[in-house]
Amino acid sequence: MIKTNLAFDINHESDIPKYQQIVNAINDGISKDVISIGDSLPSVNSFCKDYKLSRDTVFKAYSILKEDGVIDAVPNKGYYVASKTKKVLLVLDTFKAYKEVLYHSFTNNLPDTIITDVQFHHYNIDNFKTIINNSIGKYYKYVVMGFDDKTIPSILSKIDNDKLLLIDWNIHASMDNNCVFQDFGKSFLEALKQGVDLFKKYKEIHFLYPSFTNHPIETVDYFKKFCKEYQFSFKIITNPKEFNIEKNIAYISVSDRMLGVFLEQSRDTGFEPGVDVGFLSYNETPMKKFIYKGITVVSTDFKELGTKAAEFVMEDKKMNYLVPTKLTIRESL
């Protein structure tokens, strides 16, 4: 076994436990190819002596790494690097069908040597802060889906920019950040324009933007621009209880929950989607082409979003990529 030249910078004043600093340093050394499979690590005794640490601290760090399969031990020879596995943190908002597409695309484009930990913040800033703070130094790369909260940039500032990728929404992105994102404004407007002739079949367009949604409000602003440009009568419905299906109305919804209500009311009233009423759903899912006779969607390509995020993990280069938004026309409109 080759003895490693990895130097350990143990900060005795840090809030990060010393055993975790050791774990972080070894994981980081492996990810940067400073140490390789077969390289030996300092013995527990020499580690304690060189860095003024207790045996319990060093032994705990080595035990965690051994449990993770990163290192192993040979009797009378000590600890050595056993795996080149790298860990990536993927932070999503909630787990929905289209996020599953993103997740599988992301993980399927990574080699087996990269392990993905997934966490969900559920649009709760305390959850988000805890996830990020507890992850610092533990991961090779961080892929994070944020949301509209002014404290997010300061929370993410603890992560090196070259290790951080912001995905889905670039609301908090600066020139230094890596991003793979969709546009909820102009791209949405251009997608609507592709369906303008279908919308003309109806007397009004109602935008279902329920109060419980976290969808960016700029989508509503660009919907209004679309209606004014093409002189459509329109209404914004924010209270789900006020939604009652009407004949000759086309509906646009950012909520799949409201899609379910629409389909239920269509069945109860006998209105046929695409004939008596219209529906355009935001965000493609694998099932929407099979629901009813097919649900028309406006959506970014979540498979491509996941693929580009995986590319960021694999390649050490800057990334700023806008994933296109497109309209997929089916029978519901």
Side-chain angles (χ1 to χ4, degrees), residues 3 41-49 58 62 77-79:
K3 189 174 181 64
L41 297 168
S43 68
V44 173
N45 287 337
S46 63
F47 214 131
C48 295
K49 180 180 177 181
V58 179
Y62 279 0
K77 289 188 178 181
Y79 296 91

Side-chain angles (χ1 to χ4, degrees), residues 209-258:
Y209 188 81
S211 54
F212 57 74
T213 187
N214 288 285
H215 192 93
I217 191 65
E218 64 183 299
T219 299
V220 177
D221 296 334
Y222 277 85
F223 163 71
K224 292 177 181 177
K225 291 182 181 180
F226 169 73
C227 291
K228 290 174 182 177
E229 181 175 347
Y230 291 95
Q231 299 182 325
F232 287 118
S233 297
F234 68 91
K235 181 188 293 185
I236 312 296
I237 299 175
T238 58
N239 185 349
K241 295 179 180 179
E242 294 179 356
F243 173 52
N244 290 295
I245 195 169
E246 299 176 55
K247 193 172 183 179
N248 295 323
I249 302 294
Y251 298 93
I252 299 175
S253 178
V254 296
S255 166
D256 286 349
R257 196 186 310 177
M258 299 306 295

Side-chain angles (χ1 to χ4, degrees), residues 68-258:
D68 288 345
V70 176
I71 68 173
D72 207 342
V74 176
N76 302 318
K77 289 188 178 181
Y79 296 91
Y80 66 95
V81 178
S83 171
K84 286 287 288 181
T85 299
K86 299 176 182 178
K87 294 181 74 176
V88 171
L89 178 64
L90 175 63
V91 181
L92 301 177
D93 46 19
T94 57
F95 197 77
K96 296 181 179 179
Y98 58 91
K99 303 293 171 54
E100 187 174 3
V101 173
L102 187 163
Y103 170 77
H104 286 300
S105 174
F106 178 68
T107 56
N108 289 343
N109 281 281
L110 294 175
D112 293 339
T113 53
I114 294 181
I115 298 171
T116 302
D117 285 348
V118 186
Q119 301 231 30
F120 301 93
H121 57 66
H122 299 287
Y123 299 98
N124 183 298
I125 193 61
D126 291 330
N127 287 347
F128 186 87
K129 186 175 182 179
T130 299
I131 290 168
I132 299 301
N133 286 346
N134 289 344
S135 72
I136 301 301
K138 297 181 182 179
Y139 294 93
Y140 172 58
K141 294 282 180 73
Y142 299 77
V143 179
V144 178
M145 183 178 291
F147 58 105
D148 190 4
D149 188 286
K150 63 182 180 181
T151 64
I152 284 181
S154 63
I155 296 171
L156 292 177
S157 66
K158 300 174 184 178
I159 303 173
D160 293 339
N161 277 326
D162 60 349
K163 290 178 173 288
L164 174 65
L165 177 71
L166 304 180
I167 60 169
D168 196 43
W169 195 11
N170 65 341
I171 182 173
H172 297 300
S174 69
M175 293 294 291
D176 296 326
N177 288 128
N178 297 289
C179 283
V180 176
F181 61 100
Q182 60 172 308
D183 172 32
F184 294 94
K186 292 181 181 178
S187 295
F188 172 62
L189 173 61
E190 293 305 312
L192 290 181
K193 289 181 178 180
Q194 295 171 30
V196 66
D197 289 339
L198 293 172
F199 284 113
K200 287 179 179 179
K201 292 161 50 179
Y202 307 96
K203 67 178 183 180
E204 285 187 11
I205 308 175
H206 292 182
F207 197 111
L208 306 179
Y209 188 81
S211 54
F212 57 74
T213 187
N214 288 285
H215 192 93
I217 191 65
E218 64 183 299
T219 299
V220 177
D221 296 334
Y222 277 85
F223 163 71
K224 292 177 181 177
K225 291 182 181 180
F226 169 73
C227 291
K228 290 174 182 177
E229 181 175 347
Y230 291 95
Q231 299 182 325
F232 287 118
S233 297
F234 68 91
K235 181 188 293 185
I236 312 296
I237 299 175
T238 58
N239 185 349
K241 295 179 180 179
E242 294 179 356
F243 173 52
N244 290 295
I245 195 169
E246 299 176 55
K247 193 172 183 179
N248 295 323
I249 302 294
Y251 298 93
I252 299 175
S253 178
V254 296
S255 166
D256 286 349
R257 196 186 310 177
M258 299 306 295

Side-chain angles (χ1 to χ4, degrees), residues 6-10 19-32 34-35 47 65 137-138:
L6 180 64
F8 296 89
D9 183 16
I10 305 299
Y19 74 85
Q20 188 63 56
Q21 293 185 50
I22 299 171
V23 172
N24 295 348
I26 292 173
N27 279 328
D28 197 46
I30 293 171
S31 69
K32 293 178 178 177
V34 176
I35 50 178
F47 214 131
L65 290 163
K138 297 181 182 179

